[in-house]
Amino acid sequence: MAQVIADITVSLDGFVTGPDAGPGNGLGTGGEPLHRWVFSDDPGDQRILAAATARSGAVVMGRRLFDVIDAPDGWSDELGYGATEVGKPPFVVVTSAAPEEVRLTGLDWTFVTTGLSDAIAVAREGAESQSEAKGSALDVVLMGGGALVGSAVAAGLVDALVLHISPVILGAGTPLFVDEPRRTLTQREVVVTSTATHLTYDLD
């Protein structure tokens, strides 16, 4: 069965965006340094980014993140999940209602209106189908936003948590965890690069 991996970048003070994030301001005010590692020339950053894309059998996101991505200044052929890789995974969006239209029609979108657990189940089916087609084990990747990842961890829907800690203090913005239940994680891997500290935890 495909594993569920939550993978997200966060500031030193626990924010995944700066203040006022939304379409046209995806990372929020002052949030651009969060993703400096994604565009880094550091071989460690490049390896981690390539590995994350390669393992993605399906990707889950929330509606707010979808609206940022699908906005006119959002993803393009040059900028986006897997934009520089061969092939792109199916995307599953958790939403109360599907959008009337989608700009990024070249990607495989599924809109699930019955909750996060159902969205992950749909994504798992997609990831397992991709695994069979490619002959390698692929994962379900939760890419955000912060509320979706936090909710999935709290609900016990995540097998592993990958955090990319950016060396920036934002002071405000979208927090990753809010009033989550106490739990202890098992640290599996730490990779330090020139632009970030990449942490992988198993969730018991």
Side-chain angles (χ1 to χ4, degrees):
M1 180 180 291
Q3 289 220 313
V4 178
I5 313 297
D7 189 317
I8 196 164
T9 301
V10 62
S11 68
L12 283 174
D13 51 346
F15 296 101
V16 298
T17 75
D20 303 317
N25 192 30
L27 289 175
T29 303
E32 291 79 8
L34 282 171
H35 284 180
R36 188 171 291 147
W37 74 272
V38 174
F39 305 100
S40 166
D41 292 330
D42 189 302
D45 292 322
Q46 293 179 343
R47 177 182 63 80
I48 288 168
L49 185 62
T53 302
R55 74 165 183 258
S56 301
V59 176
V60 179
M61 69 181 71
R63 178 58 185 268
R64 288 183 182 179
L65 180 56
F66 168 79
D67 287 342
V68 169
I69 287 167
D70 200 52
D73 61 346
W75 282 0
S76 65
D77 290 339
E78 293 74 36
L79 179 65
Y81 198 99
T84 60
E85 307 295 331
V86 177
K88 297 177 176 65
F91 294 90
V92 179
V93 181
V94 186
T95 181
S96 59
E100 294 183 1
E101 59 182 9
V102 175
R103 179 181 66 87
L104 296 169
T105 56
L107 299 177
D108 179 359
W109 297 102
T110 299
F111 298 93
V112 175
T113 60
T114 52
L116 178 56
S117 180
D118 287 346
I120 290 176
V122 169
R124 181 175 273 121
E125 290 180 5
E128 291 173 355
S129 176
Q130 291 280 317
S131 295
E132 291 181 9
K134 295 184 178 181
S136 60
L138 300 175
D139 301 321
V140 173
V141 177
L142 310 186
M143 67 171 293
L148 181 141
V149 170
S151 295
V153 170
L157 298 173
V158 176
D159 297 304
L161 175 64
V162 180
L163 297 180
H164 310 283
I165 310 297
S166 179
V168 58
I169 296 173
L170 295 178
T174 305
L176 178 55
F177 296 117
V178 179
D179 298 326
E180 304 297 340
R182 178 183 176 88
R183 68 184 305 164
T184 300
L185 312 183
T186 300
Q187 185 168 284
R188 189 201 319 163
E189 183 180 43
V190 179
V191 178
V192 179
T193 68
S194 59
T195 59
T197 300
H198 308 276
L199 306 172
T200 301
Y201 299 97
D202 290 326
L203 278 70
D204 301 322

